[in-house]
Amino acid sequence: MTVAQAQPNIALIKYWGKRDHARNLPATGSLSLTLDTLWTRMDVRFSDSGGADRLSVNGAEDTPMLARVSACLDRLCGPGRPPATIASTANFPVRAGLASSASAFAALVTAASAAAGQSRDRQALARMAGAASGSAARSLYPGIVELTVDDEQISARTIIAVDEWPLRIVVAITADAAKPVSSGEAMSRSAATSPFYGAWVERQDHDLEAARSAVRRRDFERLAAVSEHNCLKMHSVMWTSRPAIVYWNAATVACMETVHELQRAGVPVFFTIDAGPQVKAVCLPDAEARVAEALSSTPGVQRVMRSGLGEGARVLGSGDP
Ligand code: PMV
């Protein structure tokens, strides 16, 4: 058995749309924060005794994810590999717009590669994780991470290490339910039907450059401006897809208003939202308590989770069960 852990990552400059569906290559680059307190742990055991792959998620047999997990293991180890028993545990809601597939596939490739005795480097594992879930490639890396892409492959790297800019993230949970439309299906629909999709792809390099430069200068205000703009642009593409893709609920909008009220009061904070109704507020350390308090008391918020920047995926242990 081999157990690996990875944390979800939150994109500030988002990935929304693919250039190559077969290879799951994103249309554009992206930039994200790897979290620390939220995690997925994957226990992978290859068996010599035949049979089929088995997957459990938080103790329950999970068939919807099994096909994607098996395909990921086939790519990693070859289709002739032995069957695997995989147990996934997460300490946060899964499939609810909290990047659980990012941490899951980053942890899966890390555990499975070690269990199979492979010596793939981090970049190779990031490519394997990215083939399963585009955002998962970023969770191989710590801190603030940039993913670039060309027609052949993706590359990910840390641009700011964990201790170089102590950003804090307060996640407001507004609903625990799984998302109604998967991000893969929603991206395809956006590319096929939103009149804004082309403009979204075209301006992505511009936003990435603005975010990269803000990060390098530790310019929180500029990072806040480009991140909120990029998030709202991605959701505009979703909203103008046919049928429209709306992941927000009333509490999502209330949280955005809370963040803007804090900004008007001079608090260094901004929001971002992914394929789900949760709101992630990014702030400087001194603002964290106030941001958590304000979001906790926003109508419709069930609870908040707090995090800093965290490490990339890693093996926690291996040996006989
Ligand atoms: O990696 P996927 O297929 O779950 O897509 C992730 C999409 C967003 O979370 C909305 C944006 C991002 O860059 O993480």
Side-chain angles (χ1 to χ4, degrees):
M1 58 157 269
T2 305
V3 181
Q5 173 171 321
Q7 290 88 242
N9 68 79
I10 304 295
L12 302 184
I13 305 300
K14 311 286 191 186
Y15 147 53
W16 195 253
K18 303 177 201 291
R19 70 175 64 199
D20 181 332
H21 284 263
R23 288 185 295 160
N24 204 39
L25 282 182
T28 68
S30 53
L31 186 141
S32 62
L33 312 177
T34 299
L35 304 185
D36 63 352
T37 54
L38 284 65
W39 49 255
T40 301
R41 290 183 186 144
M42 281 278 176
D43 177 335
V44 177
R45 299 154 200 238
F46 288 108
S47 128
D48 300 325
S49 52
D53 291 337
R54 292 184 62 193
L55 168 69
S56 67
V57 176
N58 292 334
E61 292 281 323
D62 190 282
T63 36
M65 275 287 280
L66 180 60
R68 278 176 80 192
V69 165
S70 292
C72 179
L73 294 178
D74 287 349
R75 278 190 298 272
L76 191 77
C77 302
R81 67 175 171 83
T85 301
I86 308 115
S88 170
T89 320
N91 72 342
F92 61 98
V94 297
R95 280 181 238 131
L98 285 170
S100 58
S101 66
S103 50
F105 284 105
L108 178 70
V109 298
T110 304
S113 174
Q118 300 174 350
S119 56
R120 288 178 196 266
D121 64 13
R122 201 177 278 269
Q123 195 67 256
L125 290 175
R127 288 177 180 142
M128 283 290 161
S133 168
S135 58
R138 301 184 308 236
S139 276
L140 265 296
Y141 289 83
I144 304 185
V145 177
E146 181 171 0
L147 183 143
T148 53
V149 59
D150 61 25
D151 285 341
E152 297 306 317
Q153 60 189 9
I154 57 159
S155 303
R157 71 195 167 108
T158 294
I159 57 170
I160 294 288
V162 171
D163 53 2
E164 286 181 317
W165 200 14
L167 295 177
R168 302 293 304 173
I169 301 96
V170 180
V171 182
I173 308 286
T174 67
D176 272 339
K179 62 181 91 164
V181 190
S182 74
S183 45
E185 186 189 333
M187 282 181 205
S188 301
R189 194 189 298 172
S190 290
T193 63
S194 170
F196 297 169
Y197 182 75
W200 157 255
V201 170
E202 201 177 301
R203 290 294 285 174
Q204 203 62 354
D205 278 350
H206 178 270
D207 288 2
L208 269 171
E209 171 53 33
R212 197 184 302 122
S213 132
V215 162
R216 290 221 171 98
R217 292 160 201 248
R218 315 289 191 272
D219 185 336
F220 189 85
E221 263 184 50
R222 282 192 58 207
L223 185 62
V226 71
S227 299
E228 286 194 2
H229 173 67
N230 191 267
C231 164
L232 293 174
K233 221 163 30 173
M234 177 183 76
H235 285 276
S236 302
V237 171
M238 295 178 185
W239 284 38
T240 49
S241 300
R242 291 183 164 189
I245 303 148
V246 180
Y247 287 115
W248 301 358
N249 58 31
T252 313
V253 179
C255 286
M256 293 160 70
E257 186 49 34
T258 296
V259 168
H260 282 170
E261 269 167 28
L262 288 166
Q263 286 175 351
R264 284 192 288 274
V267 177
V269 59
F270 66 86
F271 66 74
T272 190
I273 306 159
D274 293 295
Q278 331 303 354
V279 176
K280 294 100 183 202
V282 181
C283 62
L284 291 176
D286 288 351
E288 182 183 352
R290 191 161 168 197
V291 169
E293 165 62 34
L295 285 173
S296 298
S297 50
T298 298
V301 171
Q302 297 179 355
R303 63 188 186 284
V304 300
M305 301 175 88
R306 302 183 189 200
S307 181
L309 297 184
E311 295 303 324
R314 62 218 173 269
V315 172
L316 294 184
S318 55
D320 293 331

